[in-house]
Amino acid sequence: MNNKQRIAVLGASGHTGGFVVAELRRRGMTPVPCGRTTDLDVALRAADAVINCAGPFVATAAPAIEAAIRAGIPYLDVTAEIEVVADTFAAYAGAAVPIVPAAAFYGGLGDLLATAALGDWPAADEITIAYALSSWHPTRGTTATGRVSAQRRDGRRIAYTGGRLQHLTGDAPDTSWTFPAPVGQRPVVGEFTMADSATIPTHLDVPEIATYMTRNAVQDLRAPDPSAPVAVDAQGRSAQTFLVEVVARSGGMQRRAVASGRDIYAVTAPLVVEAASLVLAGEGASTGVASLGARFDAKAFLGALSPRHLTLG
Ligand SMILES: NC(=O)c1ccc[n+]([C@@H]2O[C@H](COP(=O)([O-])OP(=O)(O)OC[C@H]3O[C@@H](n4cnc5c(N)ncnc54)[C@H](OP(=O)(O)O)[C@@H]3O)[C@@H](O)[C@H]2O)c1
Protein backbone atom coordinates (compact mmCIF):
# COMPACT_ATOMS: atom_id res chain seq x y z
CA MET A 1 0.00 0.00 0.00
CA ASN A 2 1.27 3.42 -0.94
CA ASN A 3 1.50 5.37 2.34
CA LYS A 4 0.61 8.61 0.59
CA GLN A 5 -2.88 7.24 0.03
CA ARG A 6 -5.44 9.47 1.71
CA ILE A 7 -8.64 7.88 2.97
CA ALA A 8 -11.53 10.16 3.92
CA VAL A 9 -13.37 8.80 6.98
CA LEU A 10 -16.92 10.05 7.39
CA GLY A 11 -18.05 9.70 11.01
CA ALA A 12 -14.43 9.69 12.19
CA SER A 13 -15.49 11.07 15.58
CA GLY A 14 -17.61 7.99 16.27
CA HIS A 15 -16.72 4.76 18.08
CA THR A 16 -16.21 2.71 14.88
CA GLY A 17 -14.73 5.65 12.99
CA GLY A 18 -12.06 5.91 15.68
CA PHE A 19 -11.05 2.28 15.16
CA VAL A 20 -10.94 2.86 11.39
CA VAL A 21 -8.73 5.96 11.74
CA ALA A 22 -6.35 4.01 14.03
CA GLU A 23 -6.22 1.03 11.64
CA LEU A 24 -5.47 3.28 8.66
CA ARG A 25 -2.61 4.87 10.61
CA ARG A 26 -1.32 1.46 11.72
CA ARG A 27 -1.10 0.45 8.07
CA GLY A 28 0.74 3.61 7.07
CA MET A 29 -2.20 5.18 5.27
CA THR A 30 -3.36 8.76 5.82
CA PRO A 31 -6.85 9.14 7.33
CA VAL A 32 -8.72 12.34 6.54
CA PRO A 33 -11.36 12.74 9.27
CA CYS A 34 -14.68 14.15 8.05
CA GLY A 35 -17.69 15.25 10.10
CA ARG A 36 -21.07 16.88 9.77
CA THR A 37 -19.66 20.27 8.76
CA THR A 38 -17.12 18.95 6.22
CA ASP A 39 -17.71 19.91 2.58
CA LEU A 40 -17.65 16.36 1.21
CA ASP A 41 -16.93 17.41 -2.38
CA VAL A 42 -13.83 19.33 -1.29
CA ALA A 43 -12.65 16.54 1.04
CA LEU A 44 -13.20 13.72 -1.44
CA ARG A 45 -11.50 15.52 -4.33
CA ALA A 46 -8.30 15.32 -2.26
CA ALA A 47 -8.82 11.66 -1.21
CA ASP A 48 -8.11 8.31 -2.85
CA ALA A 49 -11.13 6.57 -1.28
CA VAL A 50 -13.84 7.24 1.29
CA ILE A 51 -14.92 5.02 4.18
CA ASN A 52 -18.33 5.95 5.59
CA CYS A 53 -18.73 5.14 9.31
CA ALA A 54 -21.55 7.66 9.93
CA GLY A 55 -24.75 5.91 10.89
CA PRO A 56 -27.69 5.66 10.71
CA PHE A 57 -26.73 5.25 7.07
CA VAL A 58 -30.22 5.88 5.77
CA ALA A 59 -29.20 9.56 6.11
CA THR A 60 -25.57 9.37 5.02
CA ALA A 61 -25.02 6.57 2.47
CA ALA A 62 -26.61 8.09 -0.65
CA PRO A 63 -25.10 11.59 -0.24
CA ALA A 64 -21.65 10.11 0.44
CA ILE A 65 -21.91 7.71 -2.52
CA GLU A 66 -22.97 10.58 -4.79
CA ALA A 67 -19.97 12.63 -3.59
CA ALA A 68 -17.62 9.66 -4.18
CA ILE A 69 -18.97 9.27 -7.72
CA ARG A 70 -18.47 12.99 -8.39
CA ALA A 71 -14.89 12.73 -7.07
CA GLY A 72 -14.26 9.49 -9.01
CA ILE A 73 -13.05 7.57 -5.95
CA PRO A 74 -14.06 4.22 -4.37
CA TYR A 75 -16.73 4.24 -1.65
CA LEU A 76 -16.90 1.78 1.24
CA ASP A 77 -19.17 1.74 4.26
CA VAL A 78 -19.87 -0.24 7.42
CA THR A 79 -23.63 -0.09 7.41
CA ALA A 80 -25.58 -2.80 9.21
CA GLU A 81 -28.87 -1.52 7.76
CA ILE A 82 -30.36 -4.22 5.54
CA GLU A 83 -32.58 -1.79 3.65
CA VAL A 84 -29.65 0.57 2.99
CA VAL A 85 -27.58 -2.29 1.57
CA ALA A 86 -30.48 -3.33 -0.67
CA ASP A 87 -31.07 0.29 -1.78
CA THR A 88 -27.35 0.74 -2.54
CA PHE A 89 -27.29 -2.34 -4.76
CA ALA A 90 -30.46 -1.22 -6.54
CA ALA A 91 -29.47 2.41 -7.08
CA TYR A 92 -25.75 2.23 -7.89
CA ALA A 93 -25.25 -0.96 -9.91
CA GLY A 94 -24.03 1.15 -12.83
CA ALA A 95 -21.78 3.46 -10.82
CA ALA A 96 -18.46 4.34 -12.41
CA VAL A 97 -16.52 3.71 -9.18
CA PRO A 98 -16.26 0.66 -6.89
CA ILE A 99 -18.91 0.70 -4.14
CA VAL A 100 -18.58 -1.69 -1.20
CA PRO A 101 -21.48 -1.59 1.29
CA ALA A 102 -21.40 -3.33 4.69
CA ALA A 103 -17.65 -4.05 4.73
CA ALA A 104 -18.00 -4.77 8.43
CA PHE A 105 -18.70 -7.38 11.11
CA TYR A 106 -22.34 -7.58 9.96
CA GLY A 107 -22.67 -7.78 6.20
CA GLY A 108 -18.99 -8.46 5.54
CA LEU A 109 -17.68 -11.21 7.81
CA GLY A 110 -20.70 -13.52 7.40
CA ASP A 111 -20.61 -12.93 3.64
CA LEU A 112 -16.91 -13.87 3.48
CA LEU A 113 -17.50 -16.97 5.63
CA ALA A 114 -20.50 -18.04 3.51
CA THR A 115 -18.50 -17.58 0.32
CA ALA A 116 -15.59 -19.56 1.76
CA ALA A 117 -17.95 -22.29 3.04
CA LEU A 118 -19.65 -22.78 -0.33
CA GLY A 119 -16.27 -23.01 -2.06
CA ASP A 120 -16.84 -24.68 -5.44
CA TRP A 121 -20.53 -25.39 -4.88
CA PRO A 122 -22.52 -23.45 -7.49
CA ALA A 123 -25.48 -23.15 -5.11
CA ALA A 124 -26.79 -24.23 -1.70
CA ASP A 125 -30.26 -25.09 -0.42
CA GLU A 126 -29.75 -23.07 2.74
CA ILE A 127 -27.15 -21.01 4.56
CA THR A 128 -27.31 -20.68 8.33
CA ILE A 129 -25.45 -17.93 10.14
CA ALA A 130 -25.15 -18.29 13.92
CA TYR A 131 -23.68 -15.37 15.86
CA ALA A 132 -22.43 -15.87 19.43
CA LEU A 133 -21.62 -12.66 21.29
CA SER A 134 -20.46 -12.85 24.92
CA SER A 135 -22.30 -9.54 25.51
CA TRP A 136 -23.46 -6.57 23.46
CA HIS A 137 -22.89 -3.10 24.79
CA PRO A 138 -24.27 -1.13 21.83
CA THR A 139 -22.90 2.27 20.84
CA ARG A 140 -25.08 5.36 20.44
CA GLY A 141 -24.92 4.77 16.66
CA THR A 142 -26.09 1.15 16.97
CA THR A 143 -29.01 2.16 19.17
CA ALA A 144 -30.03 4.96 16.79
CA THR A 145 -29.73 2.58 13.84
CA GLY A 146 -31.89 -0.05 15.55
CA ARG A 147 -34.53 2.61 16.18
CA VAL A 148 -34.51 3.78 12.56
CA SER A 149 -34.70 0.22 11.21
CA ALA A 150 -37.57 -0.67 13.58
CA GLN A 151 -39.53 2.40 12.42
CA ARG A 152 -38.87 1.50 8.81
CA ARG A 153 -40.19 -2.04 9.39
CA ASP A 154 -43.25 -0.82 11.27
CA GLY A 155 -43.07 -3.53 13.95
CA ARG A 156 -42.35 -6.33 11.50
CA ARG A 157 -39.19 -8.43 11.31
CA ILE A 158 -37.23 -9.14 8.17
CA ALA A 159 -35.79 -12.41 6.90
CA TYR A 160 -34.38 -13.82 3.67
CA THR A 161 -36.68 -16.67 2.70
CA GLY A 162 -38.18 -17.99 -0.53
CA GLY A 163 -35.38 -16.25 -2.45
CA ARG A 164 -36.06 -12.71 -1.21
CA LEU A 165 -36.09 -10.44 1.82
CA GLN A 166 -39.55 -10.62 3.36
CA HIS A 167 -41.30 -8.95 6.27
CA LEU A 168 -42.52 -11.32 8.97
CA THR A 169 -44.86 -10.80 11.89
CA GLY A 170 -45.15 -12.65 15.19
CA ASP A 171 -42.45 -13.56 17.66
CA ALA A 172 -38.98 -14.62 16.57
CA PRO A 173 -38.31 -18.28 17.42
CA ASP A 174 -36.43 -19.12 20.64
CA THR A 175 -34.25 -22.18 20.26
CA SER A 176 -30.67 -23.32 20.89
CA TRP A 177 -27.58 -23.72 18.74
CA THR A 178 -24.48 -25.78 19.40
CA PHE A 179 -21.51 -23.59 18.50
CA PRO A 180 -17.99 -25.00 18.17
CA ALA A 181 -15.97 -25.17 21.41
CA PRO A 182 -15.42 -23.29 23.60
CA VAL A 183 -18.86 -21.64 23.19
CA GLY A 184 -20.92 -24.85 23.00
CA GLN A 185 -24.71 -25.09 23.19
CA ARG A 186 -26.40 -21.73 23.81
CA PRO A 187 -29.94 -20.34 23.82
CA VAL A 188 -30.42 -18.30 20.64
CA VAL A 189 -33.06 -16.11 19.02
CA GLY A 190 -33.89 -17.14 15.46
CA GLU A 191 -34.59 -14.86 12.51
CA PHE A 192 -32.09 -12.36 13.89
CA THR A 193 -31.51 -11.06 10.38
CA MET A 194 -28.44 -8.90 9.86
CA ALA A 195 -26.83 -7.26 6.81
CA ASP A 196 -25.26 -10.58 5.75
CA SER A 197 -28.75 -11.58 4.57
CA ALA A 198 -28.64 -8.63 2.15
CA THR A 199 -25.08 -9.11 0.87
CA ILE A 200 -24.94 -12.92 0.49
CA PRO A 201 -27.84 -13.34 -2.00
CA THR A 202 -26.38 -10.70 -4.30
CA HIS A 203 -23.79 -13.25 -5.44
CA LEU A 204 -24.50 -16.68 -3.90
CA ASP A 205 -27.34 -18.83 -5.24
CA VAL A 206 -29.31 -19.67 -2.10
CA PRO A 207 -33.06 -19.43 -1.45
CA GLU A 208 -32.97 -19.54 2.37
CA ILE A 209 -30.77 -17.79 4.94
CA ALA A 210 -31.44 -18.74 8.56
CA THR A 211 -29.89 -16.59 11.30
CA TYR A 212 -29.43 -17.03 15.05
CA MET A 213 -28.07 -14.72 17.74
CA THR A 214 -27.22 -15.73 21.31
CA ARG A 215 -30.12 -14.70 23.54
CA ASN A 216 -27.92 -12.86 26.07
CA ALA A 217 -26.74 -10.50 23.30
CA VAL A 218 -30.31 -9.82 22.13
CA GLN A 219 -31.27 -9.03 25.73
CA ASP A 220 -28.31 -6.63 26.07
CA LEU A 221 -29.26 -4.89 22.83
CA ARG A 222 -32.91 -4.51 23.83
CA ALA A 223 -32.27 -3.36 27.41
CA PRO A 224 -34.13 -0.09 28.10
CA ASP A 225 -30.90 1.72 28.98
CA PRO A 226 -28.01 -0.24 27.41
CA SER A 227 -24.47 0.60 28.49
CA ALA A 228 -21.81 1.54 25.93
CA PRO A 229 -18.70 -0.57 25.23
CA VAL A 230 -15.80 -0.06 27.65
CA ALA A 231 -12.20 -0.22 26.40
CA VAL A 232 -10.11 -2.77 28.27
CA ASP A 233 -6.97 -3.06 26.14
CA ALA A 234 -4.39 -0.78 24.58
CA GLN A 235 -6.18 -0.87 21.21
CA GLY A 236 -9.41 0.36 22.80
CA ARG A 237 -11.20 -2.96 22.40
CA SER A 238 -13.88 -4.07 24.83
CA ALA A 239 -13.91 -7.47 26.54
CA GLN A 240 -16.69 -8.65 24.18
CA THR A 241 -15.86 -11.83 22.27
CA PHE A 242 -17.61 -13.15 19.17
CA LEU A 243 -17.86 -16.37 17.22
CA VAL A 244 -19.64 -16.58 13.87
CA GLU A 245 -20.46 -19.98 12.41
CA VAL A 246 -21.78 -20.33 8.86
CA VAL A 247 -23.20 -23.65 7.69
CA ALA A 248 -24.08 -24.21 4.03
CA ARG A 249 -26.35 -27.15 3.20
CA SER A 250 -26.81 -28.73 -0.20
CA GLY A 251 -28.89 -31.91 -0.28
CA GLY A 252 -27.49 -34.11 2.50
CA MET A 253 -24.09 -32.37 2.52
CA GLN A 254 -22.88 -29.59 4.77
CA ARG A 255 -19.92 -27.26 4.65
CA ARG A 256 -19.01 -24.78 7.38
CA ALA A 257 -16.73 -21.85 8.12
CA VAL A 258 -16.07 -20.29 11.52
CA ALA A 259 -14.36 -17.12 12.75
CA SER A 260 -13.93 -15.78 16.26
CA GLY A 261 -12.36 -12.73 17.79
CA ARG A 262 -12.72 -9.74 20.03
CA ASP A 263 -15.07 -6.72 19.79
CA ILE A 264 -17.42 -6.47 16.80
CA TYR A 265 -16.81 -2.71 16.46
CA ALA A 266 -13.01 -3.03 16.58
CA VAL A 267 -12.87 -5.90 14.07
CA THR A 268 -14.90 -3.84 11.62
CA ALA A 269 -11.85 -1.58 11.14
CA PRO A 270 -9.47 -4.21 9.69
CA LEU A 271 -12.33 -5.58 7.55
CA VAL A 272 -13.10 -2.25 5.87
CA VAL A 273 -9.47 -1.08 5.73
CA GLU A 274 -8.33 -4.36 4.15
CA ALA A 275 -11.14 -3.92 1.60
CA ALA A 276 -10.07 -0.33 0.87
CA SER A 277 -6.49 -1.43 0.50
CA LEU A 278 -7.43 -4.19 -1.97
CA VAL A 279 -9.73 -1.91 -3.97
CA LEU A 280 -6.96 0.67 -4.27
CA ALA A 281 -4.56 -2.10 -5.36
CA GLY A 282 -6.99 -2.78 -8.25
CA GLU A 283 -8.56 -6.01 -6.93
CA GLY A 284 -12.19 -6.75 -7.75
CA ALA A 285 -14.49 -4.99 -10.21
CA SER A 286 -13.52 -1.38 -10.87
CA THR A 287 -17.14 -0.22 -11.14
CA GLY A 288 -20.52 -0.94 -9.55
CA VAL A 289 -21.64 -2.38 -6.23
CA ALA A 290 -20.24 -5.62 -4.79
CA SER A 291 -19.97 -7.05 -1.29
CA LEU A 292 -16.73 -8.33 0.22
CA GLY A 293 -17.49 -11.97 -0.68
CA ALA A 294 -18.36 -11.07 -4.28
CA ARG A 295 -15.49 -8.68 -4.85
CA PHE A 296 -12.56 -10.56 -3.33
CA ASP A 297 -11.14 -14.06 -2.84
CA ALA A 298 -12.94 -14.81 0.45
CA LYS A 299 -10.42 -17.33 1.80
CA ALA A 300 -7.47 -15.06 1.03
CA PHE A 301 -9.25 -12.07 2.60
CA LEU A 302 -10.02 -13.98 5.80
CA GLY A 303 -6.48 -15.34 5.84
CA ALA A 304 -5.07 -11.82 5.67
CA LEU A 305 -6.93 -10.93 8.89
CA SER A 306 -5.79 -14.05 10.71
CA PRO A 307 -4.46 -14.44 13.34
CA ARG A 308 -4.12 -10.75 14.33
CA HIS A 309 -7.84 -9.92 14.05
CA LEU A 310 -9.61 -13.24 13.53
CA THR A 311 -9.17 -16.85 14.58
CA LEU A 312 -10.41 -19.10 11.79
CA GLY A 313 -11.87 -22.60 12.00
N1 LIG B 1 -22.12 -3.57 10.06
C1 LIG B 1 -21.47 -3.63 11.23
O1 LIG B 1 -21.05 -4.68 11.70
C2 LIG B 1 -21.18 -2.35 11.97
C3 LIG B 1 -20.08 -2.29 12.82
C4 LIG B 1 -19.83 -1.08 13.47
C5 LIG B 1 -20.68 0.01 13.28
N2 LIG B 1 -21.75 -0.13 12.45
C6 LIG B 1 -22.65 0.99 12.20
O2 LIG B 1 -21.90 2.17 12.06
C7 LIG B 1 -22.65 3.27 12.53
C8 LIG B 1 -21.80 4.04 13.52
O3 LIG B 1 -21.59 3.26 14.65
P1 LIG B 1 -20.70 3.78 15.83
O4 LIG B 1 -20.59 2.66 16.74
O5 LIG B 1 -19.43 4.37 15.34
O6 LIG B 1 -21.62 4.95 16.42
P2 LIG B 1 -21.24 6.33 17.09
O7 LIG B 1 -20.11 6.16 18.03
O8 LIG B 1 -22.51 6.89 17.63
O9 LIG B 1 -20.72 7.25 15.89
C9 LIG B 1 -21.57 7.71 14.87
C10 LIG B 1 -20.78 8.65 13.99
O10 LIG B 1 -21.59 9.00 12.86
C11 LIG B 1 -21.71 10.40 12.79
N3 LIG B 1 -23.00 10.74 12.21
C12 LIG B 1 -24.21 10.22 12.54
N4 LIG B 1 -25.18 10.73 11.79
C13 LIG B 1 -24.57 11.58 10.91
C14 LIG B 1 -25.03 12.41 9.87
N5 LIG B 1 -26.34 12.48 9.55
N6 LIG B 1 -24.11 13.12 9.17
C15 LIG B 1 -22.81 13.05 9.48
N7 LIG B 1 -22.30 12.32 10.48
C16 LIG B 1 -23.18 11.56 11.19
C17 LIG B 1 -21.56 10.87 14.21
O11 LIG B 1 -21.23 12.24 14.22
P3 LIG B 1 -21.59 13.17 15.49
O12 LIG B 1 -20.57 12.82 16.54
O13 LIG B 1 -21.47 14.53 14.94
O14 LIG B 1 -22.99 12.80 15.91
C18 LIG B 1 -20.42 9.96 14.68
O15 LIG B 1 -19.17 10.42 14.20
C19 LIG B 1 -23.95 2.68 13.11
O16 LIG B 1 -24.95 2.81 12.13
C20 LIG B 1 -23.63 1.21 13.32
O17 LIG B 1 -24.76 0.38 13.18
C21 LIG B 1 -22.01 -1.29 11.79
Side-chain angles (χ1 to χ4, degrees):
M1 188 80 220
N2 172 354
N3 66 8
K4 293 206 173 87
Q5 276 170 326
R6 292 163 57 85
I7 313 297
V9 182
L10 186 55
S13 64
H15 188 74
T16 308
F19 283 117
V20 169
V21 166
E23 179 67 9
L24 288 166
R25 288 208 177 103
R26 190 185 72 77
R27 293 175 63 138
M29 298 155 87
T30 305
V32 181
C34 302
R36 288 177 192 270
T37 56
T38 305
D39 181 328
L40 264 195
D41 280 314
V42 172
L44 299 202
R45 271 202 300 273
D48 297 294
V50 56
I51 296 177
N52 184 4
C53 301
F57 290 84
V58 65
T60 67
I65 292 171
E66 299 285 349
I69 291 170
R70 285 194 295 277
I73 61 169
Y75 168 92
L76 304 95
D77 72 35
V78 302
T79 185
E81 289 154 63
I82 294 165
E83 292 87 348
V84 170
V85 175
D87 289 350
T88 298
F89 273 93
Y92 297 105
V97 299
I99 294 178
V100 194
F105 178 78
Y106 295 116
L109 180 58
D111 179 37
L112 288 164
L113 290 170
T115 310
L118 250 71
D120 60 0
W121 283 359
D125 298 329
E126 183 180 50
I127 288 174
T128 302
I129 310 173
Y131 308 94
L133 304 188
S134 62
S135 63
W136 193 345
H137 297 282
T139 60
R140 189 170 50 95
T142 295
T143 304
T145 296
R147 224 172 13 244
V148 165
S149 295
Q151 278 165 2
R152 209 168 162 158
R153 292 172 200 162
D154 196 19
R156 297 165 299 173
R157 291 174 293 109
I158 200 163
Y160 187 84
T161 179
R164 63 191 175 91
L165 285 166
Q166 299 199 39
H167 285 114
L168 307 175
T169 53
D171 293 333
D174 264 325
T175 180
S176 68
W177 181 267
T178 304
F179 292 90
V183 177
Q185 186 172 5
R186 299 286 299 277
V188 292
V189 175
E191 292 168 5
F192 195 86
T193 307
M194 302 305 283
D196 303 298
S197 294
T199 51
I200 288 170
T202 62
H203 66 106
L204 298 180
D205 185 357
V206 58
E208 301 291 328
I209 302 177
T211 53
Y212 299 101
M213 172 63 80
T214 43
R215 194 191 297 156
N216 63 297
V218 178
Q219 286 165 345
D220 286 350
L221 185 65
R222 294 187 181 153
D225 191 12
S227 56
V230 175
V232 299
D233 72 10
Q235 295 146 61
R237 297 184 304 176
S238 72
Q240 179 198 50
T241 56
F242 65 80
L243 184 148
V244 183
E245 179 173 33
V246 173
V247 182
R249 186 176 58 74
S250 177
M253 293 180 298
Q254 285 193 347
R255 286 179 173 178
R256 68 187 63 233
V258 179
S260 55
R262 180 92 173 269
D263 191 331
I264 64 172
Y265 297 98
V267 81
T268 288
L271 284 163
V272 72
V273 172
E274 175 70 8
S277 175
L278 291 174
V279 166
L280 288 171
E283 283 207 30
S286 58
T287 59
V289 191
S291 67
L292 294 189
R295 190 174 286 282
F296 305 119
D297 176 327
K299 284 188 178 159
F301 192 111
L302 290 164
L305 266 57
S306 166
R308 184 184 179 98
H309 305 290
L310 290 176
T311 301
L312 303 176

